[in-house]
Amino acid sequence: LMATGACVWWLQRRQLKMGRSGSSGACWRQVAPAAAALAEVKGFGETNLQALLEVDRLPPAVMHERAQAFFDLMNTRRTMRFYSSDEPPTGVIEACVATAGTSPSGAHHQPWFFAIVRSLELKKQIRVLVEEEERVNYERRMRKSWVNDLSSMTGTNADKRLKTEDGAPQKPYLTEAPAVIALFKQTHGVDKEGNRVDNYYVNESCGIAAGMLIAALHNVGLATLTSTPMGAEVTIRELLGRPDTEKLFLLMPVGYPAADATVPYRVPLRKPLDELMQTL
């Protein structure tokens, strides 16, 4: 209830502020240079020109308020393994993915692709693939210390719904969530002439995009989970019809938390600030 109240408070405050000012906050915009009409547009939107960036600063009091409000909101975020089947409003997930697409990337190559899987049949096939490989992961691929560290999330101390009767891991969220986002990293691209186009800092770029997506989803009251389907990556890529220049980076179920959702009880919930940061 406290977490829900914090989210509602933050949204109400933001809506009130937008109503007073007519704007959601600071505005950053590039100003087209005088020769923009003559610019040669290359791959990834690049030109041979530079644009002036105009920035409207927020008042210090507003900056403090927004910084604290955003932290309060994000501090209620939890990784979710139990989802309601209720569908989010049309276009909300797509808008969150578009926000993820604003992330910075190596050389601005934006080396990612998001497949939003809503088909129940495809979700069932993905779940079967992941659960088969996860059994192997727990039995052979993962170190014992890794398995022990996951005890409260997916192991012996986890919610019993995450294991079959014979103790094998199961992933109900892959079929219960209204959507599963498959985030692919593009190891390289191919231009119109069929030439290879290298991408840079691909893992880092996709990791940042995933973080932006998580924040965007939580901002609208939707939960997710970052799942790395070890062993099933190639089969899922082929199932979703993606090219071999891409590799599955994450599977992210998306939806409202179920009414009976549980999460590991943690006190404290986050790393203390003195272990998180240092000002030098």
Side-chain angles (χ1 to χ4, degrees):
L1 290 175
M2 291 179 64
T4 302
C7 292
V8 172
W9 173 85
W10 188 86
L11 290 170
Q12 288 176 339
R13 290 295 297 271
R14 187 175 69 164
Q15 289 169 352
L16 181 61
K17 182 172 292 295
M18 289 175 65
R20 288 199 304 264
S21 65
S23 171
S24 60
C27 181
W28 293 17
R29 56 196 171 273
Q30 68 173 4
V31 179
L38 303 176
E40 178 186 356
V41 180
K42 304 175 184 178
F44 311 105
E46 294 294 342
T47 71
N48 58 346
L49 303 175
Q50 295 293 311
L52 179 68
L53 181 68
E54 291 185 346
V55 177
D56 297 329
R57 291 190 182 183
L58 291 170
V62 175
M63 294 173 67
H64 282 290
E65 180 182 3
R66 285 166 64 96
Q68 187 62 48
F70 190 66
F71 166 73
D72 290 341
L73 173 67
M74 294 308 300
N75 199 33
T76 66
R77 186 206 61 79
R78 298 298 299 267
T79 293
M80 183 51 52
R81 292 178 171 83
F82 304 99
Y83 290 84
S84 165
S85 60
D86 294 342
E87 289 281 351
T90 301
V92 168
I93 293 177
E94 289 78 4
C96 292
V97 170
T99 298
T102 70
S103 302
S105 60
H108 194 58
H109 280 202
Q110 304 159 79
W112 46 63
F113 184 86
F114 299 82
I116 305 173
V117 183
R118 297 182 183 272
S119 163
L120 180 57
E121 183 57 36
L122 284 176
K123 289 189 292 182
K124 286 180 178 178
Q125 293 182 62
I126 290 172
R127 178 175 174 178
V128 168
L129 291 168
V130 171
E131 288 180 347
E132 287 177 351
E133 291 294 335
E134 193 75 336
R135 181 190 288 265
V136 177
N137 293 337
Y138 273 81
E139 291 176 352
R140 298 201 297 269
R141 292 181 181 136
M142 296 166 63
R143 297 189 305 274
K144 185 177 180 180
S145 60
W146 188 358
V147 174
N148 290 338
D149 286 342
L150 293 174
S151 175
S152 66
M153 291 171 272
T154 58
T156 55
N157 296 320
D159 191 299
K160 303 306 179 186
R161 293 172 288 178
L162 297 175
K163 283 189 174 295
T164 62
E165 291 184 1
D166 65 355
Q170 59 180 0
K171 312 288 185 179
Y173 46 82
L174 291 176
T175 48
E176 292 174 352
V180 175
I181 297 175
L183 169 52
F184 291 92
K185 64 179 184 180
Q186 297 173 327
T187 55
H188 65 276
V190 179
D191 64 19
K192 295 179 180 179
E193 287 73 39
N195 300 312
R196 177 188 172 107
V197 178
D198 289 330
N199 291 329
Y200 314 97
Y201 296 105
V202 174
N203 287 335
E204 294 85 349
S205 299
C206 288
I208 295 169
M212 292 276 282
L213 177 57
I214 293 167
L217 291 168
H218 191 66
N219 182 52
V220 296
L222 295 176
T224 189
L225 172 148
T226 51
S227 171
T228 51
M230 187 190 305
E233 301 97 324
V234 174
T235 310
I236 293 174
R237 174 181 63 77
E238 293 174 345
L239 176 66
L240 299 182
R242 299 306 304 164
D244 59 9
T245 56
E246 298 180 356
K247 293 184 178 180
L248 185 59
F249 188 71
L250 288 173
L251 283 178
M252 302 173 66
V254 176
Y256 298 108
D260 59 352
T262 62
V263 293
Y265 179 62
R266 296 185 175 122
V267 181
L269 185 57
R270 314 288 181 195
K271 181 184 287 190
L273 292 182
D274 62 347
E275 297 179 15
L276 174 68
M277 70 179 85
Q278 180 183 13
T279 301
L280 303 175

